[in-house]
Amino acid sequence: MTSKKTKTGGGYIGRIPSLGITTYIRNGSIVTRVSTSDVRSNTRKQFIQRQRMRHSIALWKQLAPCIPLFTQGKTAYHSFLSLANRLPVVYLPKNKAEIEGSLLMPGIPVSDGTLQPIQQTLGEVDGIPALITDRKVNVILPYEAFLLYTAEQQFYYNDCPEVSFKVRVVKQDEFTEVNGCLALVGDDFTDEMKGWALVRMIGRNCSSQSIVTRCKVYEQYTTDEALQKAAKSYGGLR
């Protein structure tokens, strides 16, 4: 994979010829378009790469307003793309990809930092749905902060899937202790159209976390049938 960058009045333009994608900054927003000079070449491998990149960018555009915490790479945007590109590839037909459809799935990154990650699972505490962690209560620092990212699978514009994100500060007295570890309990954690990630923060340092979810809507977009249907909407594979 190669890339080219040039500086313009609208910001830095990044072009990835092998994917046929150009990204650039316009009025503070990330804009992505398909490079018309590349769309004639649409092998199976190229199509998969383009679908992967399109989805990662669509996810970022939804997550970015929540100020995700990516401190390890050159920019938060590039750090997110590097991590998100490891997710399963989902195949959206052209009419849904063009309006930046996105899908909730386990592993969507929301932060990348130097603090030890929190292991998180969805379960129950005394019969109540919960987000259960391995963060020991007896090692919590008074100045340690927590952010809870919530992702929700929604549908807009002709049933096009779209993931929305929100984030809030979690006060330490909101936690329930389970086997000496922190947990958040509430009926919301049974929602199969939502996902969560709890991020630790100490000053400007954060833990590396990704979404845990029961949502399985994305699975129908990962099959070979979904690939063929999406490719057909772009004119087929060559």
Side-chain angles (χ1 to χ4, degrees), residues 68-76 79 111-114 204-206 208:
L69 303 169
F70 292 87
T71 63
Q72 296 305 292
K74 184 177 180 181
T75 67
S79 295
S111 65
D112 183 30
T114 58
R204 295 186 177 181
N205 298 316
C206 67
S208 300

Side-chain angles (χ1 to χ4, degrees), residues 64-212:
C66 294
I67 314 177
L69 303 169
F70 292 87
T71 63
Q72 296 305 292
K74 184 177 180 181
T75 67
Y77 171 63
H78 287 93
S79 295
F80 174 84
L81 288 187
S82 177
L83 295 169
N85 283 343
R86 303 172 189 174
L87 294 170
V89 185
V90 292
Y91 306 106
L92 289 169
K94 186 176 181 180
N95 66 326
K96 294 182 179 180
E98 286 183 334
I99 55 177
E100 299 174 344
S102 54
L103 289 149
L104 175 58
M105 62 181 68
I108 296 174
V110 300
S111 65
D112 183 30
T114 58
L115 299 184
Q116 182 178 359
I118 304 174
Q119 298 300 315
Q120 305 173 44
T121 57
L122 292 169
E124 290 187 351
V125 175
D126 296 329
I128 303 174
L131 178 67
I132 303 170
T133 81
D134 70 344
R135 186 65 178 160
K136 295 292 185 181
V137 173
N138 60 6
V139 299
I140 300 299
L141 302 170
Y143 48 83
E144 185 170 350
F146 296 90
L147 295 177
L148 181 66
Y149 286 83
T150 300
E152 183 173 4
Q153 183 70 78
Q154 298 175 321
F155 297 87
Y156 298 103
Y157 306 115
N158 297 322
D159 207 35
C160 181
E162 180 180 286
V163 182
S164 65
F165 293 89
K166 60 183 179 182
V167 62
R168 71 175 182 89
V169 175
V170 179
K171 297 178 181 179
Q172 292 193 16
D173 61 9
E174 292 184 56
F175 289 106
T176 296
E177 183 176 343
V178 179
N179 298 323
C181 297
L182 298 178
L184 289 170
V185 300
D187 291 337
D188 198 42
F189 293 112
T190 194
D191 194 329
E192 295 185 355
M193 287 296 179
K194 290 184 178 180
W196 300 269
L198 186 68
V199 179
R200 294 175 58 214
M201 290 192 67
I202 298 178
R204 295 186 177 181
N205 298 316
C206 67
S207 58
S208 300
Q209 305 295 160
S210 58
I211 293 290
V212 294

Side-chain angles (χ1 to χ4, degrees), residues 18-69:
S18 63
L19 301 185
I21 288 175
T22 298
T23 62
Y24 56 96
I25 305 295
R26 177 187 292 169
N27 298 325
S29 298
I30 298 167
V31 179
T32 305
R33 66 176 179 83
V34 177
S35 304
T36 55
S37 60
D38 294 309
V39 295
R40 294 178 184 176
S41 179
N42 202 34
T43 65
R44 182 185 179 95
K45 182 178 180 180
Q46 289 170 329
F47 183 74
I48 291 173
Q49 288 177 317
R50 288 169 183 157
Q51 290 285 296
R52 184 191 300 277
M53 182 63 74
R54 284 189 181 98
H55 189 244
S56 295
I57 292 170
L59 286 173
W60 172 257
K61 289 182 178 180
Q62 295 297 322
L63 179 62
C66 294
I67 314 177
L69 303 169

